[in-house]
Amino acid sequence: MRKTDNKPKKLSTKKSKALFAKAQTLIPGGVNSPVRAFKAVGGDPLFISHAKGSKLTDVDGNSYIDYVLSWGPLILGHAPKKVIEAVTEAAAKGTSYGAPNPYEVTLAELIVKAYPSMDKVRFVNSGTEATMSAIRVARGFTKRDKIIKFEGCYHGHADGLLAKAGSGAATFGVPTSPGVPESYASATITVPFNDQKALKDIIEKEGENIACLILEPVVGNIGCVIPKDGFLEEIRELTQKHGIVLIFDEVMTGFRAAYGGAQELFNIKPDMTCLGKVIGGGLPVGAYGGKREIMSLISPEGPVYQAGTLSGNPVAMAAGIATLNIIRKPGFYEKLNETSKALEYGLNDAAKKANTKVKIYRVGSMMCQYFTDKDVTDLPSAESSDTEKFAGYFRGMLSCGINFPPSKFEAFFLSSAHTKSDIENTIRCSYDILKSMR
Ligand code: KE4
């Protein structure tokens, strides 16, 4: 892997460009997930040849300090030795059995132990499957149809969740994507995040028709938006009072904000939790869990149907177990959060010295940097941050060998593989790029 000097340079990306041209003739948009296409930042996506620790190397041999980390899963960095060993050992024993296996039980036990709000957990293959399934179970449990979500929270691409507020504060959803029937979206009520009044009004009005309220306790899909003091407590109280199942979508915050997720950090006990990303150690794993009386409704124990060919896949489970066995060790989060804090402070300092207005928000080792001088507390304030500036900064940092997420609406992440010199190089590059943008 060519050592990067993290100085701005014109990247040679000939091979990536050729691959992207070919990929676009075979795969919609040339990517298997839209955000990877660089549409929000301009330019063509880089095709990655290999990765190790905190570094990515593209097919043209350029290497980058990586803060995307596969959108959150790689809390140990790329290809950690113990995870690769566990995956290799599991794969040599067969890649899938279509039958229960010991790995599922081990990972389930680790998760239930880490999340006291969960009596039981069911594995699926993505965060989307986890949230989609949790909502179905909540509807089965309450025999109600409507759901509440918050503007800007992303819970995967299940039809009913691709809904946004119509006009006004809290309204029945309208589809955000063609292909989603009005009838699906209209069962989804959308409320502005951090707006306690709008939430209270809609629950007082519709409470008895609402099956569940699902939210990202820290919103990682409009950047990184932190709940205002009392907001999560208010949500817990209102949902309790009206028999609404409270679902914490911790696909991103689970084992990231803290080992026990945002629910540990903010000391709130949801009725159900969705997980993903970190628990698969980079392999496709999602999970949903909750109280026994809710989880007992799931087939074959109960009547609510949910299934999956590769759910509980032994190789994916092995990657998750190896990951959790490392991050649950004492001191892991303290060290990771120290590194993350150093980056947060350094980026703030670089922006100040470059006389650039930014707002940086961090929870644990997930964070984001908005180009704005206004506080960001919800979707509109996140949207009002400078998109063009973000795109220019993204491209500049990439030219220095620093890989941030290619959208201002994404959080970025650190891993235990990020070194002191990675952080120092990133901060220096940030100052250089911001200064060059003045
Ligand atoms: P997946 O279906 O992508 O595994 O998970 C959906 C999901 C659910 N809930 C939360 C809070 C999530 O952040 C996600 C997926 N996150 C995005 C990144 N912001 C995945 C990246 C992508 O879509 O390519």
Side-chain angles (χ1 to χ4, degrees):
M1 171 168 59
R2 193 186 303 158
K3 186 107 183 66
T4 168
D5 58 6
N6 292 125
K7 287 254 180 296
K9 59 178 174 301
K10 176 117 186 58
L11 293 171
S12 132
T13 56
K14 229 169 46 272
K15 290 181 182 164
S16 273
K17 281 196 181 334
L19 274 166
F20 189 44
K22 178 155 188 202
Q24 289 178 89
T25 65
L26 299 161
I27 303 166
V31 291
N32 284 302
S33 200
V35 69
R36 302 179 196 168
F38 278 25
K39 285 261 180 278
V41 291
D44 292 337
L46 301 168
F47 280 63
I48 302 306
S49 130
H50 58 279
K52 181 70 183 163
S54 61
K55 306 292 183 308
L56 280 178
T57 303
D58 67 21
V59 292
D60 293 282
N62 306 301
S63 76
Y64 309 86
I65 302 170
D66 183 26
Y67 291 100
V68 178
L69 294 176
S70 182
W71 304 95
L74 304 177
I75 196 163
L76 297 174
H78 292 278
K81 184 168 173 296
K82 287 256 188 293
V83 174
I84 299 304
E85 283 168 358
V87 163
T88 308
E89 186 190 336
K93 294 190 289 182
T95 55
S96 178
Y97 311 130
N101 65 77
Y103 292 106
E104 293 166 299
V105 180
T106 306
L107 187 56
E109 193 169 26
L110 281 167
I111 288 174
V112 164
K113 268 205 186 113
Y115 289 76
S117 66
M118 279 196 201
D119 296 324
K120 288 196 171 181
V121 64
R122 166 63 65 88
F123 291 113
V124 291
N125 301 281
S126 70
T128 295
E129 262 194 280
T131 58
M132 175 178 78
S133 309
I135 289 170
R136 183 182 307 134
V137 178
R139 283 173 161 152
F141 180 71
T142 58
K143 298 185 178 43
R144 301 173 183 178
D145 290 343
K146 293 198 174 68
I147 68 170
I148 291 184
K149 75 176 284 293
F150 290 94
E151 263 175 24
C153 283
Y154 176 69
H155 304 292
H157 62 89
D159 282 344
L161 289 165
L162 293 181
K164 69 176 180 340
S167 56
T171 55
F172 292 107
V174 291
T176 53
S177 159
V180 174
E182 276 293 332
S183 56
Y184 283 44
S186 64
T188 304
I189 299 167
T190 309
V191 182
F193 190 76
N194 272 327
D195 187 335
Q196 287 194 18
K197 183 177 176 331
L199 180 67
K200 193 170 164 62
D201 291 350
I202 197 74
I203 288 187
E204 300 293 340
K205 194 161 143 261
E206 290 284 340
E208 279 45 51
N209 306 319
I210 296 168
C212 61
L213 180 153
I214 184 168
L215 82 156
E216 293 180 64
V218 175
V219 189
N221 285 286
I222 40 180
C224 182
V225 174
I226 297 169
K228 283 179 181 165
D229 287 351
F231 185 56
L232 296 180
E233 290 74 4
E234 174 81 358
I235 289 173
R236 178 63 286 182
E237 210 178 293
L238 283 168
T239 49
Q240 200 76 43
K241 187 177 156 199
H242 292 270
I244 298 169
V245 173
L246 175 56
I247 303 175
F248 267 21
D249 175 353
E250 298 227 41
V251 167
M252 189 185 287
T253 52
F255 295 100
R256 171 64 69 179
Y259 186 69
Q263 55 194 270
E264 174 190 295
L265 213 55
F266 293 98
N267 192 23
I268 300 274
K269 208 168 179 183
D271 301 311
M272 297 183 83
T273 299
C274 300
L275 296 168
K277 296 185 192 271
V278 170
I279 64 168
L283 271 69
V285 177
Y288 65 103
K291 294 173 170 172
R292 194 176 309 285
E293 63 268 30
I294 298 177
M295 297 302 286
S296 64
L297 264 76
I298 302 166
S299 174
E301 204 174 315
V304 178
Y305 196 69
Q306 180 268 310
T309 303
L310 295 173
S311 299
N313 172 276
V315 182
M317 296 289 106
I321 293 163
T323 300
L324 265 53
N325 277 334
I326 294 169
I327 66 176
R328 67 197 180 104
K329 286 193 179 119
F332 178 86
Y333 284 87
E334 287 73 10
K335 190 161 180 301
L336 179 58
N337 293 346
E338 271 312 303
T339 309
S340 306
K341 193 160 80 176
L343 180 61
E344 174 195 359
Y345 283 33
L347 291 177
N348 264 316
D349 192 40
K352 213 155 63 207
K353 285 191 181 125
N355 202 6
T356 305
K357 296 267 178 264
V358 297
K359 287 280 182 185
I360 296 178
Y361 297 92
R362 177 178 67 83
V363 173
S365 55
M366 67 185 265
M367 58 198 276
C368 85
Q369 178 171 232
Y370 295 103
F371 287 89
T372 180
D373 56 358
K374 290 203 282 302
D375 288 340
V376 178
T377 58
D378 56 16
L379 179 61
S381 46
E383 283 174 331
S384 71
S385 65
D386 192 320
T387 308
E388 273 321 299
K389 249 196 190 148
F390 176 88
Y393 177 78
F394 169 83
R395 289 194 301 270
M397 292 299 274
L398 202 60
S399 76
C400 293
I402 314 274
N403 184 47
F404 277 126
S407 160
K408 74 175 189 180
F409 293 125
E410 295 290 351
F412 61 85
F413 306 94
L414 283 94
S415 78
S416 51
H418 281 76
T419 62
K420 197 161 172 289
S421 79
D422 289 337
I423 303 307
E424 287 163 358
N425 284 336
T426 305
I427 293 163
R428 181 173 43 72
C429 292
S430 194
Y431 171 71
D432 292 346
I433 295 302
L434 289 175
K435 208 150 142 292
S436 71
M437 289 167 65
R438 296 260 346 126

